[in-house]
Every structure is written in C-alpha cells, then in structure tokens.
C-alpha cells in the first residue's frame, strides 16, 4: 500500500509540473532550473525573461502601494457590481456575492487569462514532500462502506475549478494503473462536458462533475474525509472575499486527516494589480477585469488565517516573487504569487 501510495504522489507531481510554461523552452527543458535564476547584477536585468526570488526595495513597495491606492480610490458602485449571467432564469436582479471563475475565460478565448501565463505549478519534490504524510483513513466508516466513484482507490485528488481540463489530462495520463483517482469540478456545465468529450478522459481514473463551490447546500460525489489532496490554482481569487473562508472550510471537510490542501494564487502588489485602471475596483484589493472575471490579491497573513481558521496547519506559505522582463520594450515587471500547502490535523488522542 505504501509503495502504491508513493507512486501515486510521484505521478501526480510529475503531471502537475508539466503545466509549467517554462518547460516549453528549447528541447523541452528550461535554461535554468525553476527557482534558481537570481539577478545579482542589475545591469543583467534584460538578459532573461524572468528572475526568481527577487527582493523588493522600500521604493518598490511604496510605488506599488501608491499605484494601488490610486486605482482603488474610485470603486464601482455596489448596485453596478452584478453579473446577470450568474443568475438562474427568472431570478430577480440582486447583487451577486461571487464572480465568474477565471476558468470561464477559457471557454470564450481558448486559454485562461492567467493560469497559462507566467505561472508555474508546485515542483515535483515539493508535492512529494507535502503529500507523503496524507495517509489513508482506516476507520472512516463512510469512506469504507459508501458507494461512490473512485471508492476503491487508495489515493484521491480533487482539482477545483478545472475549466476545460488543462491540468486534468496530464494528471490522468500519469495516474493510470497507480491506484489513484482524480475528481475535477467546475461551475460551468459546458466546461465539464468538454472535459468528458476529450479523447483522454477515462472514467476509470477520473470523475468530472459540475459544482459551484460557493453554494453552501450542495454535496460532493464522495464522502467527507476521503481526499488525500485538494488542488486550487488561481481559483479562490475569483470568489468574493466575503465568501472565500466558507469555501475553504467546506472543502477542508473532505480531506483525510493528514491530507494536503495545495494553493497557488495572486499575491498583493503583483504587477497585474498595480496596472488596473480606475473604475475596476470592486472592494479593497478585489477587481473586475474587462472579460468579466474577478480577481483578489492575497497577502501571506491572509492566506495563513484563511487555512488556519479551517483547522489546517501550515506546511508552506510562500510569496513567489519574480521579476518578469519584456526585453523588447525594456520593461521590468514585479510579479507576486502565493504558493501554500496546509495539512489537515489529526484529532487529539484520547487520554
């Protein structure tokens, strides 16, 4: 069982790492290992497209703060912060508490506006280290007796906000015959249908289903405490800030004790936040894009509180700071992403 489990973790890690755009360089390999390109000489800034682990100066921080203060001073009136396409037919008009998922943009443009650009997924070693402690629940009666898709797998993964499956199929193709099972959900029926229609979709190792994580009274196709890993990549930022905590709380109930919640999303003062124009701000650090999607920008402290309040313990909580360079235009852009891992605690032992 341990061998199968380790194999499942390793194959998941490899699949997720295939999503990194930097692996699309010459010969399929990055010119420098991920996270190892450091800018030691400012004169070299335009020699590469991206620099890792960039340290901000106080001037950089103040410039970003001032730009965000400027673009947030005029907020969209509350009565205009609604998206009719999210309301069911016949529903009366009211202010909605959530925005479209970033994945909706995939359906109209063919590629995600953020997740396919400039972002990397967790490294193989990171996923292996973080997931190995997520052991199967031996005494969970619901998991052992209920009938549900993936019931007999020893390692179960859920991707929330899967869109049309850009990360689903690399995972599917690597977990076959590994005693692992992948669940993937999205609020868009069209997106899920496209996933199911894909030639690589295999219901023996994957179950795709329509689900809106903001809905409080909807159930999942698997019981509580049945998942080893939950993956959210640029998903929680698309939800109204007032509802994110509830989403994380509900998702966490489906993790096994020792299970891992993997989170990657937008960080505060990222270039994409700084460049917003006036009139795009919905509330503090929460904006609407031109394509109708929404985005919130997190801090490390907010991320820590978000998962800690859901009863999870911190394994990793990092600000992934990079310097992205447009060499043609001679423009340098500070990028900030959050990359975090939180583990579900085991219940205290009986005295």
């Amino acid at each position: 069982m341990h061998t199968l489990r380790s194999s499942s973790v390793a194959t998941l890690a490899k699949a997720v790492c295939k999503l990194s755009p930097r692996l699309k360089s010459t010969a399929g390999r990055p010119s420098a290992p991920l996270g190892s390109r450091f800018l030691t000489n400012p004169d070299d800034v335009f020699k590469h497209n991206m620099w890792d682990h960039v340290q901000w100066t106080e001037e950089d921080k103040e410039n970003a703060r001032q730009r965000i203060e400027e673009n947030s001073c005029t907020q969209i009136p509350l009565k205009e912060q609604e998206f009719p396409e999210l309301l069911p037919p016949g529903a009366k008009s009211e202010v909605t508490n959530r925005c479209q998922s970033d994945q909706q943009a995939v359906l109209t443009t063919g590629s995600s506006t953020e997740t396919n650009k400039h972002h990397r997924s967790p490294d193989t070693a990171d996923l292996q280290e973080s997931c190995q402690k997520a052991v199967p629940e031996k005494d969970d009666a619901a998991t052992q007796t209920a009938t549900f898709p993936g019931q007999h797998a020893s390692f179960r993964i859920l991707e929330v906000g899967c869109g049309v499956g850009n990360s689903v199929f690399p995972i599917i193709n690597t977990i076959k015959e590994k005693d692992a099972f992948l669940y993937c959900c999205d609020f868009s029926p069209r997106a899920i249908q496209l996933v199911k229609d894909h030639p690589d979709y295999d219901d023996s190792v994957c179950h795709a289903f329509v689900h809106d994580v903001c809905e409080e009274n909807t159930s999942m196709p698997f019981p509580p405490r049945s998942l080893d890993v939950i993956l959210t990549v640029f998903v929680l930022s698309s939800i109204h800030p007032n509802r994110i905590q509830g989403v994380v709380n509900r998702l966490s109930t489906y993790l096994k004790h020792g299970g891992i919640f993997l989170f990657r999303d937008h960080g505060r003062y990222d270039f994409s936040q700084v460049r917003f124009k006036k009139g795009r701000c919905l509330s503090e650090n929460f904006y609407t894009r031109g394509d109708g999607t929404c985005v919130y920008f997190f801090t490390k402290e907010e991320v820590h509180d978000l998962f800690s309040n859901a009863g999870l313990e911190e394994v990793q909580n990092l600000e992934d700071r990079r310097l992205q360079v447009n060499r043609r235009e001679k423009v340098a852009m500070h990028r900030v992403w959050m990359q975090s891992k939180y583990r579900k605690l085991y219940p205290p032992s009986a005295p």
Side-chain angles (χ1 to χ4, degrees):
M1 179 67 72
H2 177 73
T3 301
L4 290 173
R5 198 181 148 65
S6 298
S7 176
S8 297
V9 174
T11 52
L12 168 63
K14 291 178 182 178
V16 175
C17 285
K18 288 180 181 179
L19 303 178
S20 172
R22 291 179 63 182
L23 294 181
K24 297 179 181 179
S25 58
T26 304
R29 295 179 179 272
S31 57
L34 295 173
S36 66
R37 180 174 287 162
F38 300 95
L39 179 62
T40 57
N41 184 351
D43 294 336
D44 294 337
V45 65
F46 294 111
K47 286 188 176 181
H48 298 290
N49 292 328
M50 188 81 76
W51 299 95
D52 300 321
H53 307 297
V54 176
Q55 299 297 315
W56 286 38
T57 66
E58 290 302 317
E59 182 180 3
D60 292 332
K61 296 177 183 178
E62 181 60 21
N63 287 340
R65 189 195 65 77
Q66 290 182 3
R67 290 285 299 277
I68 291 170
E69 182 177 331
E70 180 181 351
N71 71 28
S72 303
C73 65
T74 303
Q75 296 185 358
I76 299 175
L78 188 62
K79 65 180 181 181
E80 297 178 16
Q81 295 184 26
E82 60 182 318
F83 300 88
E85 60 271 78
L86 296 178
L87 300 176
K92 67 178 181 178
S93 178
E94 60 182 5
V95 177
T96 184
N97 283 325
R98 75 181 294 268
C99 293
Q100 291 171 298
S101 164
D102 280 343
Q103 300 294 346
Q104 183 65 23
V106 177
L107 304 180
T108 56
T109 65
S111 62
S112 172
T113 57
E114 289 291 345
T115 56
N116 292 335
K117 297 181 182 179
H118 319 306
H119 305 310
R120 71 179 181 92
S121 300
D123 291 333
T124 302
D126 290 343
L127 278 173
Q128 289 176 328
E129 178 183 359
S130 64
C131 294
Q132 283 173 346
K133 295 184 179 180
V135 299
E137 290 286 334
K138 296 181 179 179
D139 299 323
D140 189 342
T143 303
Q144 296 296 326
T145 62
T147 299
F148 60 94
Q151 176 185 5
H152 300 294
S154 63
F155 190 81
R156 303 186 191 95
I157 310 151
L158 168 65
E159 183 191 3
V160 178
C162 66
V164 297
N166 291 337
S167 59
V168 168
F169 299 108
I171 296 176
I172 286 179
N173 291 332
T174 52
I175 65 173
K176 289 181 178 179
E177 302 179 3
K178 301 297 182 182
D179 198 25
F181 197 87
L182 172 66
Y183 305 94
C184 57
C185 66
D186 197 277
F187 80 99
S188 168
R190 183 184 176 195
I192 293 301
Q193 190 59 53
L194 288 172
V195 170
K196 291 183 175 181
D197 290 342
H198 193 283
D200 289 340
Y201 183 75
D202 184 349
D203 59 12
S204 69
V205 293
C206 180
H207 179 68
F209 60 101
V210 178
H211 185 82
D212 187 342
V213 293
C214 288
E215 291 296 328
E216 300 182 9
N217 298 318
T218 57
S219 61
M220 294 284 197
F222 41 78
R225 301 187 301 279
S226 60
L227 300 177
D228 295 273
V229 177
I230 294 176
L231 175 67
T232 62
V233 180
F234 300 99
V235 172
L236 297 185
S237 58
S238 67
I239 299 170
H240 192 284
N242 291 346
R243 304 191 72 178
I244 297 176
Q245 184 68 68
V247 170
V248 173
N249 291 350
R250 289 190 293 276
L251 288 174
S252 297
T253 65
Y254 292 97
L255 278 176
K256 298 176 181 178
H257 296 300
I260 294 291
F261 201 126
L262 301 179
F263 167 82
R264 185 166 176 82
D265 224 310
H266 299 278
R268 189 72 48 83
Y269 297 161
D270 179 65
F271 176 74
S272 62
Q273 180 182 15
V274 172
R275 70 180 178 181
F276 270 109
K277 305 297 184 183
K278 290 182 180 180
R280 307 304 302 180
C281 184
L282 295 165
S283 60
E284 188 174 4
N285 301 303
F286 188 50
Y287 301 80
T288 178
R289 302 188 185 96
D291 63 1
T293 60
C294 296
V295 57
Y296 183 79
F297 295 88
F298 295 92
T299 65
K300 286 181 63 174
E301 294 75 18
E302 287 174 338
V303 172
H304 178 78
D305 290 344
L306 182 66
F307 290 99
S308 296
N309 290 341
L312 309 183
E313 67 173 347
E314 180 180 314
V315 177
Q316 172 184 293
N317 188 22
L318 301 178
E319 283 184 321
D320 183 3
R321 294 180 179 270
R322 295 165 184 258
L323 189 65
Q324 181 184 337
V325 175
N326 184 326
R327 290 187 282 177
R328 176 178 295 179
E329 302 294 332
K330 301 298 181 184
V331 175
M333 299 162 282
H334 286 282
R335 306 309 309 267
V336 185
W337 301 295
M338 303 307 304
Q339 182 158 311
S340 308
K341 310 171 190 176
Y342 282 80
R343 179 181 295 114
K344 187 170 185 176
L345 293 168
Y346 286 90
S349 300

